[in-house]
Amino acid sequence: MSARSKDVDFSSVLTNTISDDGVDNWGGFLGLKLLYSPSEPLIDFIFVHGLGGGSRKTWSKTKSISHYWPQEWLPKDPAFKNVRIQTFGYDSDWANGKENCLNIHHFGKSLLGEMSTSPYLSNANTPIMLIGHSMGDLVIKKAYMLARQSLACKTLTERFCALYFLATPHRGSDSAKLLNNVLQISYSSRAYVADLERGSGTIQSINDEFRNYSADIELWSFYETQKLKMGVLSKLIVDPDSATLGYRDEKQIPINADHRSICKFETPGDANYMVLRNAFASTVQNISKQDPLNKFIVLKTNEKFRLSQVKDLEKYLEAPEELDDDLVAVEDARMSGTCRWFCEKEEYEKWIAFAPNTPNIFWATGRPAAGKSVLAGYVIGQLQKTKADCSYFFFKHGDKSKSRLSARLRSLAFQMACQITTVRESLFQMREDGIKLTNESDRVLWRRLFLNGIFRTKLSRHFWIIDAIDECQNLVPFFNPMLAKLGESIPLRILVLSRETSELKKQFFSLGIHRVHHEKISVVDTLTDIKLMVEEKAKFVYQRNEEDRDQLVKKILDKSEGSFLWTTLVLSELSNAHSEEEISQALEDVPRDMGPLYQRTLETMTLTTVGRKLAKAVLIWATCAIRPLTTRELDWPLNFNVGDNFPKLEESILALCGHLVTIDKFGKLQMVHETAREFLLQDDLDSYFAINKTEAHTRIARACLTYLTGEEMRPPRTSRRGPSVNDASKRTEFSVYACAAFSYHLARADPLANDVLMLIEKFLKLNVLSWIEAVARTQNLAPMIRAAKNLRTYLEACTAERSPLGMSMSTIRGWTIDFEHKTLGHGEAVRVLQFKGKGGLLASCGMKMIRIWDAWSGRNIHSFEAPQRVVDLTFGNSILLAASSKNCLASWELDNGGARKPDRPWGDSDEHMNKQFRRPPCAISIAINHQMLAIAYYGRPIVLWDLEQDAYFGHCGKKLVHGETSTHRITALVFNPNPEINLLVASYLDGELVLLDPFNDQELESFRADCHVLAASPDGRLLAGGAGGGTIQVYEFDSLRLLYQVKSSDFYIKQLAFSLDSFHLSDIRGAHCNVWEPAILLRNSVGDDSSEGTLVSSDGIVATETRVKVSTIILHPEGDVAFCSKNDGAVSIYDLKTGFELRTLYRHKSLVRILTWWPQSKAILSVDASNGIFQWHLEESQKEGWVAAKTIFKSRLDCGKSIVQVLFGAGAGKLILSTRVSDHLWSIDGQQLDERIYSDKSGIRKWIQHQQSSLHVICVEIAVAQIYSWKDWSKVASIPLAASVTGLQLKNVFQYGLGHQWRLIFELSELDGSPGTRGLQLFDGAVLDVECLLTKEAVSKKAKLHDQAKRLSIMDQSTTVAKASAPVQFCGPQLATLTHRISHIIGLDDANRLLFLDIHSWVCTADLESLGEGSIIYWRHFFLPYDWFAGTRDLVCAVARRDVLFARNNDVAIIKNGLEFAERVDLEVNDSRPPDSSI
């Protein structure tokens, strides 16, 4: 399938060609001049004129711009759609020019110099083809040789692909000698004229050198064959011997022209022009087919890449095939001179010109068969002629692939991608991002393809032409939401043609009069076109004279009533009349309306006894097939239906059914018009040829199934004489249709047709695998999914009429399950999945329920209440085991109705045998085959629990320097599943991967691998680990020898699993699942030891993660926008109402990490990964909103450390830049005023604006707050806040006002570790009161306030507080309980409540001012999907009034009124244990 690509942006005229006649400069410009440039140039043409010519004059027959063929004709020729065209001019006017010493060498040097410095050529890698006339070719040869001799021009030289010589004096010309003598007499010689003399030293030198450089370039020589008239004389200026080089591969072509007219032509149809044009086209085509190793890299890197993208997008979009066929068909049907009236209508002219205040939708309606489709084709053709970007779609009720709205959306998107680079890149990025389009609804396609994709790109004016919308199956989504929500800012004009129905009228008018112009096609409009057609075809109708013929034309026009189809059928019938009486009678008898005309046709067909069966079969296939079939495809089914062969099938069809069907130019059987199909399918039609839908579909289904159960579709069989008896490539052409459409017809067939039931059963038993293979070869599994749906429909119909217990019904029922995928409704978020190796069972576990499923049928077998926080599931022989974070093992007997057995607690030593162990595990591995449980706890060795004895077995782990067992944190554990291999692998948080003999407590192997996720193959041979940066590593389990590694993306790997056969490996990262098939898995399975001792197999980086992601969000305090920075350096603005990106304000060259807004100056400041600092002033306009108006400064902080914070001083006009080891005070215009350097061991500092004084700023550390003056950055006071806290560091500081009070919240995290919240400190801001601190009386008061400071310190149990005196804790137990539930603090909402993400991924709020004494209340609002922050160190989020914003790749997800829903959570204050869950 190919879309007619338009690579240039046109509106109503060709905008990137020169349209000025330029008569004042008839000779043309000197130097290189661009004539035409497509949006994606793939090859360059450069035209060089000859002696006495000019860059325009040489190539134009007259002064009219229309004769300037390099500019006016070539760009409009599809063969040169990707060719950039330039001309080169130099002073060769021997008659009028001044005397000079310039010769061919100088001209060649000038040409080479301009090519080397041209912005179009120097920055490209396109192949270059030079076309020269006369002396211009010598200039070309000289330029080429100079380039070959210069190292500086090596890259340019490699791009020369072809030289075209037109009447070139390679060996000189006698006429040049004569001219030179004349010039010498006039005392005005020209060096370049002397160069052209036959046998001149210049020409001899050029020829001798050129031979050495001509081997790798295509050469074409065109020579004149007519003498040039010069007064009374005529002469060959360059004879054939001089005009050709005589090289072996040189192409020599004579032209029927003289020396001057060899490059000047009257029209594009000129025979001489066609010779030259076809030669150009062959060179372009040959370059397009160059071997990838050829020197013309551009076609591999540009055109081939573009074509590859287009091909990938065609598959991704599932665009309808044979798009151009519909357009070609209507173009062929149109007679020259017709349809022009439409483009002359005033409203159409406004519409096509994008006139202001005109509707963007033009709805043209007409009677059936009024030529609407032909009119659509004409409009498309006119738009394409003017190089306007347009996409089109012809709805076809008789072609199911072209009657669905989704097909239109996919087709339009594909065509736009073929024409517009930005659209292609946008859709390709969607494909790379894994956005699925298969089986999506119309509304989802519209949103994903257009609203979120195409319409967000930079579009120039574009046209959509939609024909026969009345034949669309599902109209409503086309109007709402599509047309209804189409923004007026989108430069799109839509022309819709259809019949006028009440439903369409209602839908169009619902859009509003200002959006739609309705144009009714009247009889008067089409009368001129019908007259042209009648006058042309009436020539073949017998008439005595022209007067009688004119009368016949008038009679036909009077009765036509604007119907082209009626007119065509009548003229066809009249052409068979042989006398005036017959013609008159036929014209009198023919009905005026199409219905009676069709009835009359059927009556005529009924009277014919020959071919009735074939005619009926043809009409059945034409009306009910899901798409038009070719005559070659119809050969087999018609033979089956009729029981005969038809050697001239096309002729037979047209002879029998010519007034109802037709064969188009592609050999496809088509209805003459949709009205003919509607007529034949009428329920009350009384005719042998009336089509009953059920009977028709039954006949077609019978034919398809007979073929599918036949010999051609038998599975391949190996024989002694050959590898396969059945070759898929030799199947009849009907096989494609039968494979794709049999289920569609079966679903509509008669359920009581016993033979059809037997055929489908036979097919499913014998040849179904061949059918599956045939479908799989198309790389489109949609037919298989549709088959499952259609089989179920047929099964339901049969069940209503037959016994559901029959063998045939059972067979069909089984295959309906096998053909489709299943959706299992667990009812809540699923945390753990586990398959049973044999038995087809699947266990799914959520927070509340565990469900057991029959994986084959999708039936829910058991449902159990889940223990608290299940961390692992596994199947035994007939039991299901679930390990809980509460240190107990729950189990259910699956063969005893799912009865739950008593829970089995475990402990970490013999001392805990009789009491519940309360510490939650950080990793668990259940080994059924070993009857052993391995549990890892923070701060303890790995615990081994004997499942058979329900007893503590011992402990193990990696060994430290002195032999003691490590208690470092473990991230993953896995037993070898093979009962013969008693090994355990543990992955530690510090990156160590350790192979253990757990039963003897021995460390066997250990090294740093950074694997946080582990999985063992079912056979025990292999171990897979998910390492940092998205890398998967596969090891030999019993030695930890690395066998294979692959990196797919930077996403955090959440889970790994092997297939049951150990041949495939799957991973889950983000929202995607990847399936790998490393060769090492298969090689090891068959005992191949050929790789022993070799290097590790590695797939390297298979797919690099390149998607753009939002890195920072800040909110405009008063407006409805958010400013976001991204990892590609962009700083953009988003609409808080829609979440859509409005525009990019400016860009850095690297990831932007910090973004700050200064409201007073309307300034935004951003810091990138290289410490580049940009500050821009923004302005807001009513039309465009916020835009970047001017740069305030661009600078960089060169201090060796990354900037971690920026703080504006609103009142001081200064800002602070902070790194881990330094602070820098800058003026608002980017000048450094002061700096402070700290030691490398200093803790994290956070700067905050003093809440009560705009003249002061506070530097907060974990144990002290220091107040500074903005004026001179001098320290005003230092207030100790608490004793130092080991193991924690300051993460963030929040402050809020409470009446006249002031609160500060310190968020703490693990020192140089996880960014999760590990502690909180709450302070009363009164201790930072500047006025009190600056008065003499405040000295004693300061000490008192310090002793009475209200403070909270919450930390992990592993954290210890220094022995120094600490302030009195405020609500310590209450907040300690709350902190165990916090994973990350988002901020404060508008009510100054603490907004946070809890450990279960719920967004919650808590009012810190109303904490209870014995219990704590907080509120859960909404759940955040884990994959939104999987693999990230921190959340990118913000709070806007009642809305919460989260960054999701390149989008901003806005949870509208997300805090309105609230679920109360009560916590007991004494519940101070660490959390049982973490993220």
Side-chain angles (χ1 to χ4, degrees), residues 796-946:
E796 291 172 355
C798 289
T799 301
E801 304 290 343
R802 302 171 180 270
S803 169
L805 303 178
M807 182 63 68
S808 300
M809 307 286 277
S810 178
T811 301
I812 298 173
R813 187 176 297 108
W815 279 102
T816 59
I817 297 172
D818 291 342
F819 282 159
E820 65 176 0
H821 65 283
K822 305 172 186 67
T823 301
L824 308 179
H826 183 87
E828 59 175 329
V830 176
R831 301 179 63 90
V832 184
L833 281 176
Q834 183 67 50
F835 273 100
K836 186 175 182 181
K838 295 181 180 180
L841 297 182
L842 170 66
S844 60
C845 177
M847 293 292 293
K848 298 179 180 179
M849 299 296 296
I850 296 176
R851 301 187 189 277
I852 309 297
W853 308 86
D854 183 332
W856 301 111
S857 66
R859 184 169 56 92
N860 184 199
I861 302 174
H862 300 292
S863 295
F864 311 128
E865 183 180 350
Q868 185 173 354
R869 183 62 181 173
V870 173
V871 292
D872 197 10
L873 282 176
T874 191
F875 282 98
N877 289 332
S878 59
I879 64 171
L880 175 71
L881 299 175
S884 166
S885 63
K886 292 298 184 181
N887 298 291
C888 67
L889 200 64
S891 56
W892 294 266
E893 296 178 332
L894 302 181
D895 58 355
N896 187 26
R900 182 167 181 171
K901 301 175 68 174
D903 289 354
R904 300 154 64 184
W906 67 74
D908 66 342
S909 67
D910 289 327
E911 300 174 3
H912 292 95
M913 288 288 292
N914 298 319
K915 61 181 181 180
Q916 179 70 39
F917 186 60
R918 302 179 66 85
R919 178 176 296 181
C922 54
I924 289 178
S925 178
I926 307 173
I928 291 294
N929 292 334
H930 296 285
Q931 284 295 296
M932 192 65 63
L933 181 66
I935 316 106
Y937 296 97
Y938 183 66
R940 298 187 65 84
I942 300 170
V943 175
L944 299 175
W945 188 264
D946 189 329

Side-chain angles (χ1 to χ4, degrees), residues 1-4 321-329 392 666:
M1 163 181 164
S2 65
R4 301 195 170 193
E321 297 180 354
E322 302 166 345
L323 177 66
D324 281 347
D325 289 1
D326 296 325
L327 179 59
V328 171
Y392 55 86
F666 304 104

Side-chain angles (χ1 to χ4, degrees), residues 316-317 410 430 435-440 445 448-449:
Y316 173 61
L317 294 171
R410 295 175 188 273
M430 288 173 56
I435 298 176
K436 303 298 182 184
L437 302 176
T438 303
N439 298 323
E440 294 293 358
L445 284 176
R448 290 183 180 174
L449 285 177

Side-chain angles (χ1 to χ4, degrees), residues 54-69:
S55 59
R56 172 177 168 182
K57 180 172 66 173
T58 293
W59 315 105
S60 301
K61 186 175 180 65
T62 68
K63 291 186 178 182
S64 170
I65 192 72
S66 63
H67 279 138
Y68 191 16
W69 60 271

Side-chain angles (χ1 to χ4, degrees), residues 71-323:
Q71 175 184 298
E72 295 300 310
W73 300 356
L74 289 181
K76 298 174 183 178
D77 191 325
F80 310 107
K81 64 181 180 181
N82 294 115
V83 176
R84 180 166 48 208
I85 303 172
Q86 303 180 70
T87 60
F88 175 72
Y90 58 97
D91 186 6
S92 66
D93 190 351
W94 56 265
N96 299 319
K98 295 180 180 180
E99 180 178 357
N100 59 57
C101 63
L102 295 176
N103 57 19
I104 290 175
H105 177 87
H106 294 112
F107 293 145
K109 197 171 182 179
S110 175
L111 171 59
L112 179 61
E114 294 232 12
M115 291 174 63
S116 301
T117 58
S118 166
Y120 304 107
L121 297 175
S122 60
N123 297 323
N125 55 357
T126 50
I128 299 172
M129 187 174 103
L130 293 106
I131 304 100
H133 174 245
S134 188
M135 187 179 78
D137 285 315
L138 301 180
V139 174
I140 287 172
K141 287 164 68 176
K142 191 62 184 180
Y144 175 61
M145 290 187 294
L146 290 172
R148 289 292 297 265
Q149 295 162 4
S150 171
L151 290 176
C153 296
K154 184 176 184 298
T155 303
L156 180 66
T157 306
E158 292 175 344
R159 293 164 54 194
F160 282 75
C161 65
L163 303 182
Y164 272 69
F165 303 129
L166 277 65
T168 303
H170 294 294
R171 296 172 182 81
S173 172
D174 294 332
S175 299
K177 183 176 181 180
L178 174 62
L179 175 60
N180 195 36
N181 291 336
V182 172
L183 291 175
Q184 287 179 350
I185 293 173
S186 64
Y187 307 103
S188 178
S189 63
R190 304 286 188 273
Y192 53 82
V193 176
D195 287 345
L196 297 178
E197 292 182 17
R198 185 180 295 273
S200 74
T202 299
I203 285 185
Q204 187 65 41
S205 174
I206 290 175
N207 287 338
D208 290 344
E209 291 184 45
F210 184 71
R211 186 180 298 275
N212 299 324
Y213 301 118
S214 61
D216 299 328
I217 198 163
E218 192 175 299
L219 301 175
W220 293 73
S221 294
F222 298 83
Y223 56 89
E224 61 208 62
T225 60
Q226 293 183 4
K227 295 180 180 181
L228 178 65
K229 292 184 179 181
M230 299 181 292
V232 297
L233 301 177
S234 60
K235 181 178 178 60
L236 277 178
I237 301 301
V238 180
D239 58 62
D241 181 59
S242 182
T244 57
L245 291 164
Y247 295 173
R248 174 182 296 179
D249 295 327
E250 175 192 15
K251 298 175 180 63
Q252 303 177 1
I253 301 176
I255 296 288
N256 187 28
D258 58 34
H259 187 75
R260 185 174 295 140
S261 62
I262 197 171
C263 52
K264 303 174 188 290
F265 314 105
E266 183 66 39
T267 67
D270 189 304
N272 289 339
Y273 173 75
M274 292 304 298
V275 171
L276 200 59
R277 178 263 176 212
N278 293 340
F280 288 175
S282 69
T283 297
V284 172
Q285 187 175 15
N286 289 339
I287 294 174
S288 302
K289 295 179 179 178
Q290 290 285 352
D291 185 87
L293 299 178
N294 191 277
K295 62 181 178 180
F296 304 126
I297 304 301
V298 65
L299 293 172
K300 180 173 70 174
T301 57
N302 287 13
E303 174 66 355
K304 290 189 177 180
F305 176 70
R306 186 185 76 86
L307 293 176
S308 175
Q309 277 193 327
V310 168
K311 186 175 180 180
D312 290 343
L313 283 179
E314 182 179 5
K315 181 179 177 181
Y316 173 61
L317 294 171
E318 300 174 17
E321 297 180 354
E322 302 166 345
L323 177 66

Side-chain angles (χ1 to χ4, degrees), residues 399-567:
D399 190 338
K400 300 307 176 187
S401 66
K402 297 178 182 178
S403 62
R404 293 187 290 267
L405 187 56
S406 60
R408 179 189 75 91
L409 297 176
R410 295 175 188 273
S411 176
L412 293 176
F414 177 66
Q415 291 176 73
M416 294 181 77
C418 290
Q419 299 172 67
I420 307 170
T421 304
T422 55
V423 171
R424 183 165 64 253
E425 291 173 349
S426 173
L427 296 180
F428 199 77
Q429 186 61 50
M430 288 173 56
R431 175 183 176 274
E432 292 296 296
D433 291 344
I435 298 176
K436 303 298 182 184
L437 302 176
T438 303
N439 298 323
E440 294 293 358
S441 67
D442 300 328
R443 286 179 169 85
V444 171
L445 284 176
W446 173 255
R447 185 176 68 253
R448 290 183 180 174
L449 285 177
F450 293 96
L451 295 183
N452 296 341
I454 293 173
F455 292 156
R456 290 194 178 188
T457 65
K458 186 177 180 180
L459 285 177
S460 56
R461 292 179 175 182
H462 199 92
F463 295 90
W464 282 356
I465 313 300
I466 312 298
D467 180 56
I469 188 67
D470 50 308
E471 296 184 30
C472 177
Q473 288 182 352
N474 46 340
L475 275 173
V476 176
F478 174 66
F479 293 94
N480 190 7
M482 297 179 192
L483 294 184
K485 298 183 179 179
L486 190 64
E488 294 184 3
S489 62
I490 298 171
L492 179 66
R493 291 286 160 120
I494 304 173
L495 172 63
V496 183
L497 299 101
S498 70
R499 287 182 277 185
E500 183 179 337
T501 66
S502 57
E503 176 63 21
L504 280 174
K505 204 169 183 179
K506 181 181 73 174
Q507 295 290 352
F508 271 112
F509 289 166
S510 69
L511 302 175
I513 299 177
H514 68 289
R515 297 281 312 279
V516 182
H517 171 72
H518 183 197
E519 184 76 33
K520 294 186 178 182
I521 301 173
S522 66
V523 173
V524 175
D525 289 329
T526 59
L527 195 61
T528 304
D529 292 350
I530 294 178
K531 182 179 180 182
L532 283 174
M533 181 181 70
V534 173
E535 287 176 343
E536 178 64 27
K537 295 191 176 184
K539 295 177 183 178
F540 304 99
V541 179
Y542 170 77
Q543 290 292 298
R544 286 184 304 176
N545 51 51
E546 289 303 316
E547 184 178 348
D548 289 347
R549 197 178 308 279
D550 292 341
Q551 287 297 319
L552 175 64
V553 169
K554 186 177 184 305
K555 289 181 180 179
I556 296 174
L557 290 176
D558 290 342
K559 298 187 71 172
S560 67
E561 295 184 358
S563 174
F564 282 90
L565 178 60
W566 182 93
T567 306

